[in-house]
Structures are given as C-alpha cells and as structure tokens.
Amino acid sequence: AAGVIQSPRHLIKEKRETATLKCYPIPRHDTVYWYQQGPGQDPQFLISFYEKMQSDKGSIPDRFSAQQFSDYHSELNMSSLELGDSALYFCASSLMLASYNEQFFGPGTRLTVL
Amino acid sequence: KNQVEQSPQSLIILEGKNCTLQCNYTVSPFSNLRWYKQDTGRGPVSLTIMTFSENTKSNGRYTATLDADTKQSSLHITASQLSDSASYICVVRVYGGSQGNLIFGKGTKLSVKP
C-alpha cells in the first residue's frame, strides 16, 4: 500500500539559509500534518492542513511557513535557519472522515543545520 | 495538563522473550490511544489504536490493552524478535479540538538481544 512520501530524506544547510521540505500524502487523504522531532524528544506538532486550508497551528516558528497544494501535497518552507532547527521533520496524513482519523507518518526528513 | 507518561524508559530483553510496556495518561477529554513503533531515524508506524470502549486489541505479536477508568494502557510483545528493537510511543488524542492535538509519550526504547 502507498505510504506517505517525504523528500528529501536528508538535508544539510548552513545557518541563515532556506530549506523546503516536501510531503506527499497517502492517495485520497485530505489532511496533512507537520511535526518536528529534536534529538531524544517526542514529536512536536507544527501545523496542519485540511483541504488545502490551514486547519491548526502548533509550535511553528514565524520563520517557517507551509501550504497544501491542489494535489494535496504539502511543503514546509524554513527560512533563516538556526542550529536549533536541526531535527527530524515528519509529515503525516489522514482522511478526515475515516474512523479514528488516524494519522499515518512518513519516514521523515533529517535536517542538519551547520 | 495533558500528559502521557511511559515506562520503562528503556528495556533490554532476550530474543524470544515477552515484554510489557506501560503508558499512563492524564488527557481529557479522551478520544483514542495509539501505540506506534519508531525505528531510529524513521517515522512512527501505527501498531494499534483504541477508543475508550475497547479494552484489548491485537496486531500479530502485539497486544494492547486500555483501562479508561484508570487511564492506563499497556503494550505486550510476545516472542520478541530482533526486529522489534525500536522505540514504542504511546500517543493519546484529545477529543475534539484540533486535528493536531496528539499528546506524545517519550517512548520506551526496546532492545532485543540475540
């Protein structure tokens, strides 16, 4: 079965640079979530989109922005990168009306800021 | 404050042995509880998901229990395999509210040794 796809899987950037992470949800899923997981930390919710509209906002810094496109894929744009942004970034998708509205996670993008 | 606490923090067992991981939560209002398996550097993979009316749910060698009265859950792994080595995360979803409202436990790091 198709899973959530994230790209790139690994990304290395310098401080103050910009990064764009992409997420392709499971086909027919209408909701996308972004999480940030620092070393040894549990995932922190950043932001979610339902039907291309922002549906919830968590601890996303103002330097970050995200959007969901007409094909339901989502991009997380990160500017003025800081060392503390180094983390594993997960995307998850779900179908709003499915039972439990269960989130399926992608493999993550490991971002390293030097 | 909504919290999910897991124990033990880490566990080492021999291949073929059984083990039980614990999860206590103080999340209200409660929607459902999920157990995820997360390999190092990878996205969490769902093992089970239960609502308050479900006491036990199995997925192969994994059996989860839920006591909504005491707000406790356990994940029992039978006949462990080397591939079971991973972090097991208990996640509780808050009823209503935002779609991103998942409360993550810190996880139990399981190591299965030959």
Short mmCIF file of all heavy atoms in Angstrom, two decimals, chain A residues 37-43 88 90, chain B residues 6 8-11 21 34-47 62 75 77 82-91 104-112:
data_model
loop_
_atom_site.label_atom_id
_atom_site.label_comp_id
_atom_site.label_asym_id
_atom_site.label_seq_id
_atom_site.Cartn_x
_atom_site.Cartn_y
_atom_site.Cartn_z
N GLN A 37 10.83 16.71 15.36
CA GLN A 37 11.33 15.88 16.45
C GLN A 37 12.82 16.11 16.65
O GLN A 37 13.64 15.70 15.82
CB GLN A 37 11.04 14.40 16.18
CG GLN A 37 11.43 13.49 17.34
CD GLN A 37 11.05 12.03 17.10
OE1 GLN A 37 11.02 11.58 15.96
NE2 GLN A 37 10.75 11.30 18.16
N GLY A 38 13.17 16.79 17.74
CA GLY A 38 14.56 17.01 18.07
C GLY A 38 15.17 15.75 18.65
O GLY A 38 14.46 14.81 19.01
N PRO A 39 16.49 15.71 18.74
CA PRO A 39 17.17 14.52 19.27
C PRO A 39 16.65 14.15 20.65
O PRO A 39 16.65 14.97 21.57
CB PRO A 39 18.63 14.98 19.32
CG PRO A 39 18.74 16.09 18.34
CD PRO A 39 17.42 16.78 18.36
N GLY A 40 16.22 12.91 20.80
CA GLY A 40 15.73 12.43 22.08
C GLY A 40 14.42 13.04 22.54
O GLY A 40 14.01 12.86 23.69
N GLN A 41 13.75 13.75 21.64
CA GLN A 41 12.48 14.41 22.01
C GLN A 41 11.30 13.72 21.35
O GLN A 41 11.46 12.99 20.36
CB GLN A 41 12.52 15.88 21.55
CG GLN A 41 13.66 16.68 22.12
CD GLN A 41 13.55 16.84 23.61
OE1 GLN A 41 12.48 17.15 24.14
NE2 GLN A 41 14.65 16.61 24.33
N ASP A 42 10.12 13.95 21.88
CA ASP A 42 8.93 13.46 21.20
C ASP A 42 8.54 14.47 20.12
O ASP A 42 8.90 15.64 20.20
CB ASP A 42 7.78 13.24 22.18
CG ASP A 42 7.55 14.42 23.08
OD1 ASP A 42 8.45 14.72 23.89
OD2 ASP A 42 6.49 15.05 22.95
N PRO A 43 7.82 14.04 19.12
CA PRO A 43 7.44 14.94 18.03
C PRO A 43 6.60 16.11 18.52
O PRO A 43 5.70 15.95 19.34
CB PRO A 43 6.63 14.04 17.10
CG PRO A 43 7.08 12.65 17.41
CD PRO A 43 7.38 12.66 18.88
N LEU A 88 14.46 15.99 13.04
CA LEU A 88 13.76 15.12 12.10
C LEU A 88 12.38 15.73 11.90
O LEU A 88 11.66 16.01 12.87
CB LEU A 88 13.67 13.72 12.70
CG LEU A 88 13.47 12.50 11.82
CD1 LEU A 88 14.47 12.47 10.68
CD2 LEU A 88 13.59 11.24 12.65
N PHE A 90 8.71 15.27 10.44
CA PHE A 90 7.77 14.27 9.96
C PHE A 90 6.55 14.93 9.35
O PHE A 90 6.07 15.95 9.83
CB PHE A 90 7.29 13.37 11.09
CG PHE A 90 8.34 12.46 11.65
CD1 PHE A 90 8.85 12.67 12.91
CD2 PHE A 90 8.83 11.41 10.89
CE1 PHE A 90 9.82 11.84 13.43
CE2 PHE A 90 9.81 10.59 11.40
CZ PHE A 90 10.30 10.80 12.67
N GLN B 6 5.33 7.17 29.96
CA GLN B 6 5.60 5.78 29.62
C GLN B 6 6.70 5.21 30.50
O GLN B 6 7.60 5.91 30.94
CB GLN B 6 6.04 5.67 28.15
CG GLN B 6 4.95 6.01 27.17
CD GLN B 6 5.37 5.73 25.75
OE1 GLN B 6 5.42 6.63 24.92
NE2 GLN B 6 5.66 4.46 25.45
N PRO B 8 8.93 1.18 31.07
CA PRO B 8 10.15 1.87 31.46
C PRO B 8 10.66 2.78 30.35
O PRO B 8 10.15 2.74 29.24
CB PRO B 8 11.11 0.70 31.70
CG PRO B 8 10.64 -0.34 30.72
CD PRO B 8 9.15 -0.21 30.69
N GLN B 9 11.66 3.56 30.66
CA GLN B 9 12.25 4.44 29.65
C GLN B 9 12.99 3.62 28.61
O GLN B 9 13.00 3.94 27.42
CB GLN B 9 13.18 5.42 30.33
CG GLN B 9 13.71 6.52 29.43
CD GLN B 9 14.51 7.55 30.19
OE1 GLN B 9 14.79 7.38 31.37
NE2 GLN B 9 14.87 8.62 29.53
N SER B 10 13.65 2.54 29.08
CA SER B 10 14.34 1.63 28.18
C SER B 10 14.26 0.23 28.74
O SER B 10 14.06 0.03 29.94
CB SER B 10 15.79 2.06 27.98
OG SER B 10 16.49 2.03 29.21
N LEU B 11 14.42 -0.73 27.84
CA LEU B 11 14.26 -2.13 28.23
C LEU B 11 15.11 -3.00 27.32
O LEU B 11 15.13 -2.79 26.10
CB LEU B 11 12.78 -2.51 28.10
CG LEU B 11 12.34 -3.91 28.49
CD1 LEU B 11 12.59 -4.14 29.97
CD2 LEU B 11 10.85 -4.09 28.18
N LEU B 21 5.03 -3.05 27.99
CA LEU B 21 5.34 -1.63 28.12
C LEU B 21 4.11 -0.92 28.68
O LEU B 21 2.98 -1.27 28.33
CB LEU B 21 5.72 -1.04 26.76
CG LEU B 21 6.71 -1.84 25.92
CD1 LEU B 21 6.99 -1.12 24.61
CD2 LEU B 21 7.98 -2.12 26.68
N ARG B 34 -3.11 5.47 20.87
CA ARG B 34 -2.40 4.75 19.83
C ARG B 34 -1.03 4.33 20.33
O ARG B 34 -0.40 5.04 21.10
CB ARG B 34 -2.19 5.67 18.61
CG ARG B 34 -3.43 6.39 18.15
CD ARG B 34 -3.09 7.78 17.61
NE ARG B 34 -4.31 8.53 17.32
CZ ARG B 34 -4.64 8.96 16.12
NH1 ARG B 34 -3.85 8.72 15.09
NH2 ARG B 34 -5.75 9.62 15.93
N TRP B 35 -0.61 3.19 19.87
CA TRP B 35 0.77 2.76 20.09
C TRP B 35 1.45 2.78 18.72
O TRP B 35 0.94 2.23 17.74
CB TRP B 35 0.83 1.35 20.66
CG TRP B 35 0.56 1.29 22.13
CD1 TRP B 35 -0.64 1.03 22.73
CD2 TRP B 35 1.51 1.46 23.19
NE1 TRP B 35 -0.50 1.04 24.10
CE2 TRP B 35 0.81 1.31 24.41
CE3 TRP B 35 2.88 1.74 23.23
CZ2 TRP B 35 1.43 1.42 25.65
CZ3 TRP B 35 3.50 1.85 24.46
CH2 TRP B 35 2.78 1.68 25.66
N TYR B 36 2.64 3.42 18.70
CA TYR B 36 3.44 3.47 17.50
C TYR B 36 4.79 2.80 17.75
O TYR B 36 5.32 2.85 18.86
CB TYR B 36 3.72 4.92 17.08
CG TYR B 36 2.57 5.67 16.46
CD1 TYR B 36 1.75 6.50 17.22
CD2 TYR B 36 2.32 5.58 15.09
CE1 TYR B 36 0.72 7.21 16.65
CE2 TYR B 36 1.27 6.30 14.50
CZ TYR B 36 0.49 7.11 15.29
OH TYR B 36 -0.54 7.81 14.72
N LYS B 37 5.35 2.24 16.70
CA LYS B 37 6.72 1.73 16.73
C LYS B 37 7.55 2.66 15.86
O LYS B 37 7.18 2.94 14.72
CB LYS B 37 6.77 0.31 16.17
CG LYS B 37 8.18 -0.27 16.08
CD LYS B 37 8.17 -1.63 15.38
CE LYS B 37 9.58 -2.18 15.25
NZ LYS B 37 9.61 -3.44 14.47
N GLN B 38 8.65 3.14 16.43
CA GLN B 38 9.50 4.04 15.66
C GLN B 38 10.93 3.52 15.64
O GLN B 38 11.60 3.47 16.67
CB GLN B 38 9.47 5.46 16.25
CG GLN B 38 10.27 6.46 15.41
CD GLN B 38 10.18 7.88 15.94
OE1 GLN B 38 9.83 8.11 17.10
NE2 GLN B 38 10.48 8.84 15.10
N ASP B 39 11.37 3.15 14.46
CA ASP B 39 12.78 2.80 14.29
C ASP B 39 13.60 4.08 14.26
O ASP B 39 13.11 5.13 13.85
CB ASP B 39 12.98 2.00 12.99
CG ASP B 39 12.31 0.64 13.05
OD1 ASP B 39 12.58 -0.11 14.01
OD2 ASP B 39 11.51 0.32 12.15
N THR B 40 14.85 3.96 14.67
CA THR B 40 15.72 5.14 14.75
C THR B 40 15.77 5.86 13.41
O THR B 40 16.05 5.24 12.38
CB THR B 40 17.13 4.72 15.18
OG1 THR B 40 17.04 4.05 16.45
CG2 THR B 40 18.02 5.94 15.31
N GLY B 41 15.49 7.15 13.45
CA GLY B 41 15.56 7.96 12.23
C GLY B 41 14.44 7.74 11.25
O GLY B 41 14.51 8.22 10.11
N ARG B 42 13.40 7.02 11.66
CA ARG B 42 12.28 6.77 10.77
C ARG B 42 10.99 7.30 11.36
O ARG B 42 10.92 7.68 12.53
CB ARG B 42 12.13 5.26 10.51
CG ARG B 42 13.37 4.58 9.96
CD ARG B 42 13.77 5.16 8.63
NE ARG B 42 12.75 5.02 7.63
CZ ARG B 42 12.69 4.02 6.76
NH1 ARG B 42 13.60 3.07 6.80
NH2 ARG B 42 11.73 3.97 5.85
N GLY B 43 9.97 7.35 10.55
CA GLY B 43 8.68 7.81 11.03
C GLY B 43 7.97 6.76 11.87
O GLY B 43 8.17 5.57 11.69
N PRO B 44 7.13 7.20 12.80
CA PRO B 44 6.36 6.26 13.62
C PRO B 44 5.39 5.45 12.76
O PRO B 44 4.76 5.98 11.85
CB PRO B 44 5.59 7.16 14.59
CG PRO B 44 6.29 8.49 14.55
CD PRO B 44 6.86 8.60 13.18
N VAL B 45 5.27 4.18 13.08
CA VAL B 45 4.35 3.29 12.39
C VAL B 45 3.31 2.81 13.38
O VAL B 45 3.65 2.33 14.46
CB VAL B 45 5.10 2.09 11.78
CG1 VAL B 45 4.12 1.10 11.16
CG2 VAL B 45 6.10 2.56 10.74
N SER B 46 2.05 2.95 13.01
CA SER B 46 0.97 2.60 13.92
C SER B 46 0.89 1.10 14.16
O SER B 46 0.97 0.31 13.23
CB SER B 46 -0.36 3.10 13.33
OG SER B 46 -1.43 2.76 14.18
N LEU B 47 0.73 0.73 15.42
CA LEU B 47 0.55 -0.68 15.79
C LEU B 47 -0.92 -0.94 16.13
O LEU B 47 -1.51 -1.89 15.62
CB LEU B 47 1.42 -1.03 17.00
CG LEU B 47 2.94 -0.93 16.80
CD1 LEU B 47 3.65 -1.20 18.11
CD2 LEU B 47 3.40 -1.90 15.73
N TYR B 62 1.70 -8.18 18.81
CA TYR B 62 1.47 -7.03 19.66
C TYR B 62 0.03 -7.04 20.17
O TYR B 62 -0.90 -7.18 19.40
CB TYR B 62 1.69 -5.72 18.88
CG TYR B 62 3.06 -5.56 18.29
CD1 TYR B 62 3.28 -5.78 16.93
CD2 TYR B 62 4.14 -5.18 19.08
CE1 TYR B 62 4.55 -5.62 16.38
CE2 TYR B 62 5.41 -5.02 18.53
CZ TYR B 62 5.60 -5.24 17.18
OH TYR B 62 6.86 -5.08 16.65
N LEU B 75 1.27 -2.31 26.28
CA LEU B 75 1.57 -2.97 25.01
C LEU B 75 2.39 -4.20 25.33
O LEU B 75 3.48 -4.09 25.88
CB LEU B 75 2.34 -2.05 24.07
CG LEU B 75 2.69 -2.66 22.71
CD1 LEU B 75 1.43 -2.86 21.88
CD2 LEU B 75 3.69 -1.78 21.95
N ILE B 77 4.35 -7.48 24.00
CA ILE B 77 5.01 -8.06 22.82
C ILE B 77 5.34 -9.50 23.14
O ILE B 77 6.03 -9.78 24.14
CB ILE B 77 6.28 -7.28 22.45
CG1 ILE B 77 5.95 -5.80 22.23
CG2 ILE B 77 6.91 -7.87 21.18
CD1 ILE B 77 7.16 -4.93 21.97
N LEU B 82 14.45 -9.80 16.95
CA LEU B 82 15.48 -8.76 16.88
C LEU B 82 14.91 -7.50 16.21
O LEU B 82 15.26 -6.38 16.57
CB LEU B 82 16.70 -9.26 16.10
CG LEU B 82 17.44 -10.44 16.73
CD1 LEU B 82 18.62 -10.85 15.83
CD2 LEU B 82 17.93 -10.12 18.13
N SER B 83 14.01 -7.70 15.26
CA SER B 83 13.44 -6.56 14.55
C SER B 83 12.47 -5.75 15.40
O SER B 83 12.02 -4.68 14.97
CB SER B 83 12.70 -7.05 13.29
OG SER B 83 11.68 -7.97 13.65
N ASP B 84 12.17 -6.25 16.59
CA ASP B 84 11.31 -5.47 17.49
C ASP B 84 12.07 -4.34 18.17
O ASP B 84 11.47 -3.48 18.82
CB ASP B 84 10.70 -6.38 18.58
CG ASP B 84 9.69 -7.37 18.02
OD1 ASP B 84 9.07 -7.06 16.97
OD2 ASP B 84 9.53 -8.45 18.62
N SER B 85 13.38 -4.35 18.03
CA SER B 85 14.20 -3.29 18.63
C SER B 85 13.80 -1.95 18.02
O SER B 85 13.97 -1.73 16.81
CB SER B 85 15.69 -3.56 18.40
OG SER B 85 16.10 -4.73 19.07
N ALA B 86 13.28 -1.06 18.84
CA ALA B 86 12.79 0.23 18.37
C ALA B 86 12.28 1.00 19.58
O ALA B 86 12.31 0.51 20.70
CB ALA B 86 11.65 0.04 17.36
N SER B 87 11.81 2.21 19.32
CA SER B 87 11.12 2.97 20.37
C SER B 87 9.62 2.76 20.19
O SER B 87 9.12 2.78 19.05
CB SER B 87 11.46 4.45 20.27
OG SER B 87 12.75 4.70 20.72
N TYR B 88 8.92 2.56 21.28
CA TYR B 88 7.48 2.36 21.24
C TYR B 88 6.83 3.56 21.93
O TYR B 88 7.10 3.85 23.09
CB TYR B 88 7.11 1.05 21.92
CG TYR B 88 7.57 -0.13 21.10
CD1 TYR B 88 8.88 -0.59 21.19
CD2 TYR B 88 6.73 -0.74 20.18
CE1 TYR B 88 9.34 -1.64 20.41
CE2 TYR B 88 7.17 -1.80 19.39
CZ TYR B 88 8.48 -2.24 19.51
OH TYR B 88 8.92 -3.26 18.72
N ILE B 89 6.01 4.24 21.16
CA ILE B 89 5.47 5.51 21.61
C ILE B 89 3.97 5.39 21.82
O ILE B 89 3.25 4.89 20.95
CB ILE B 89 5.75 6.62 20.59
CG1 ILE B 89 7.26 6.71 20.31
CG2 ILE B 89 5.25 7.96 21.11
CD1 ILE B 89 7.62 7.66 19.19
N CYS B 90 3.52 5.83 22.97
CA CYS B 90 2.10 5.88 23.30
C CYS B 90 1.62 7.30 23.00
O CYS B 90 2.25 8.28 23.43
CB CYS B 90 1.92 5.54 24.78
SG CYS B 90 0.23 5.66 25.39
N VAL B 91 0.56 7.41 22.24
CA VAL B 91 0.06 8.72 21.83
C VAL B 91 -1.44 8.78 22.12
O VAL B 91 -2.19 7.89 21.73
CB VAL B 91 0.29 8.96 20.32
CG1 VAL B 91 -0.20 10.35 19.92
CG2 VAL B 91 1.76 8.79 19.97
N PHE B 104 2.04 13.10 22.84
CA PHE B 104 3.01 12.02 22.68
C PHE B 104 3.68 11.69 24.00
O PHE B 104 4.05 12.59 24.77
CB PHE B 104 4.10 12.42 21.67
CG PHE B 104 3.65 12.44 20.23
CD1 PHE B 104 2.93 13.51 19.74
CD2 PHE B 104 3.97 11.40 19.38
CE1 PHE B 104 2.52 13.54 18.41
CE2 PHE B 104 3.58 11.42 18.05
CZ PHE B 104 2.85 12.49 17.56
N GLY B 105 3.87 10.41 24.25
CA GLY B 105 4.74 9.99 25.34
C GLY B 105 6.19 10.06 24.88
O GLY B 105 6.47 10.26 23.69
N LYS B 106 7.10 9.93 25.82
CA LYS B 106 8.53 9.99 25.49
C LYS B 106 9.02 8.69 24.86
O LYS B 106 10.13 8.64 24.34
CB LYS B 106 9.35 10.29 26.74
CG LYS B 106 9.04 11.63 27.38
CD LYS B 106 9.42 12.79 26.49
CE LYS B 106 9.20 14.12 27.21
NZ LYS B 106 9.44 15.27 26.31
N GLY B 107 8.23 7.66 24.96
CA GLY B 107 8.60 6.39 24.34
C GLY B 107 9.38 5.47 25.27
O GLY B 107 10.00 5.91 26.24
N THR B 108 9.33 4.20 24.96
CA THR B 108 10.16 3.19 25.61
C THR B 108 11.09 2.63 24.55
O THR B 108 10.63 2.15 23.51
CB THR B 108 9.32 2.05 26.21
OG1 THR B 108 8.56 2.52 27.31
CG2 THR B 108 10.22 0.90 26.67
N LYS B 109 12.37 2.70 24.83
CA LYS B 109 13.35 2.18 23.88
C LYS B 109 13.61 0.72 24.19
O LYS B 109 14.16 0.38 25.24
CB LYS B 109 14.65 2.98 23.95
CG LYS B 109 15.65 2.62 22.86
CD LYS B 109 16.87 3.53 22.94
CE LYS B 109 17.91 3.15 21.90
NZ LYS B 109 17.40 3.30 20.53
N LEU B 110 13.18 -0.14 23.28
CA LEU B 110 13.32 -1.58 23.47
C LEU B 110 14.49 -2.11 22.65
O LEU B 110 14.61 -1.81 21.46
CB LEU B 110 12.04 -2.30 23.04
CG LEU B 110 12.09 -3.82 23.07
CD1 LEU B 110 12.23 -4.33 24.50
CD2 LEU B 110 10.83 -4.41 22.43
N SER B 111 15.33 -2.87 23.30
CA SER B 111 16.44 -3.54 22.62
C SER B 111 16.28 -5.03 22.82
O SER B 111 16.21 -5.50 23.95
CB SER B 111 17.80 -3.09 23.18
OG SER B 111 18.01 -1.71 22.97
N VAL B 112 16.21 -5.74 21.72
CA VAL B 112 16.10 -7.20 21.76
C VAL B 112 17.46 -7.77 21.37
O VAL B 112 17.96 -7.50 20.27
CB VAL B 112 15.01 -7.71 20.82
CG1 VAL B 112 14.91 -9.23 20.89
CG2 VAL B 112 13.67 -7.07 21.17
#
